[in-house]
Structures are given as C-alpha cells and as structure tokens.
C-alpha cells in the first residue's frame, strides 16, 4: 500500500503547488487559482476503479491500487484546503491593498 500511497501523495502535492503558483504568477484571481489547483491535483479514480475491475478483475493488484487512490486523495486534498486558505492570506489579500 505504501508503494502506491507515497507517489500519489507526492503527485497531488506537486500538481497543486505548481498549478497554484503558475496561476498566481499569471494574475488569476484566488477563486480561479484555487479551483484550477484542486482540479489539477485531483484524479478520476472512479473511472480508474471501474476500468481496473472490468479489465483485470476484482481481486487483481491493479484494482487494489485503483481503490487505494481515493483513500489517499481525499485526506490530502482536505489538507490542501487549509493550505489554499493560508496561501490566500499570504499572496492574495496583500495584493488588494
């Protein structure tokens, strides 16, 4: 499970921060920056689970890996909500003055 969880967590964090700061540098509003970042960081695990089960079977390692994804994604993205709010205070509130 760790072999799946660690790369996924790194992926979510990397995609969130890269897209957040790219949008910030382009002058995008906080609301659109946050929406873009969460969209970039999230995945379509529902589709991945359906395909893995359909192609490889319910007891396959591929299906197991696809099921682990949302179990990692949800807590990481919930934590990133707090990060996004802190980044709003740091980068976007100051720009309004």
């Amino acid at each position: 499970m760790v072999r799946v969880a660690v790369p996924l967590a790194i992926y979510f964090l990397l995609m969130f921060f890269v897209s957040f700061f790219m949008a910030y540098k382009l002058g995008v509003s906080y609301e659109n920056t946050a929406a873009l970042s969460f969209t970039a960081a999230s995945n379509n695990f529902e589709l991945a689970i359906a395909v893995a089960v359909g192609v490889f079977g319910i007891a396959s390692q591929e299906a197991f890996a696809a099921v682990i994804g949302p179990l990692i994604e949800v807590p990481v993205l919930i934590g990133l909500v707090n990060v996004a709010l802190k980044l709003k205070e740091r980068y976007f509130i100051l720009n309004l003055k």
Side-chain angles (χ1 to χ4, degrees):
M1 186 171 112
V2 173
R3 288 180 24 197
V4 175
V6 171
L8 279 175
I10 292 170
Y11 169 81
F12 297 138
L13 294 169
L14 183 66
M15 291 302 293
F16 178 84
F17 284 110
V18 167
S19 59
F20 192 95
F21 286 108
M22 284 178 60
Y24 171 74
K25 289 293 184 183
L26 291 171
V28 177
S29 69
Y30 169 76
E31 291 78 12
N32 289 333
T33 297
L36 172 76
S37 300
F38 283 106
T39 302
S42 66
N43 284 306
N44 293 320
F45 279 112
E46 299 82 9
L47 179 60
I49 293 169
V51 170
V53 169
V55 173
F56 299 106
I58 192 76
S60 68
Q61 290 181 353
E62 292 82 4
F64 176 74
V67 169
I68 295 300
L71 298 175
I72 303 305
E73 179 183 27
V74 171
V76 170
L77 292 180
I78 289 172
L80 286 173
V81 168
N82 293 321
V83 171
L85 292 171
K86 291 292 183 188
L87 291 172
K88 177 183 180 182
E89 292 172 7
R90 183 171 184 170
Y91 292 103
F92 288 90
I93 300 296
L94 296 175
N95 290 339
L96 296 176
K97 293 179 181 178

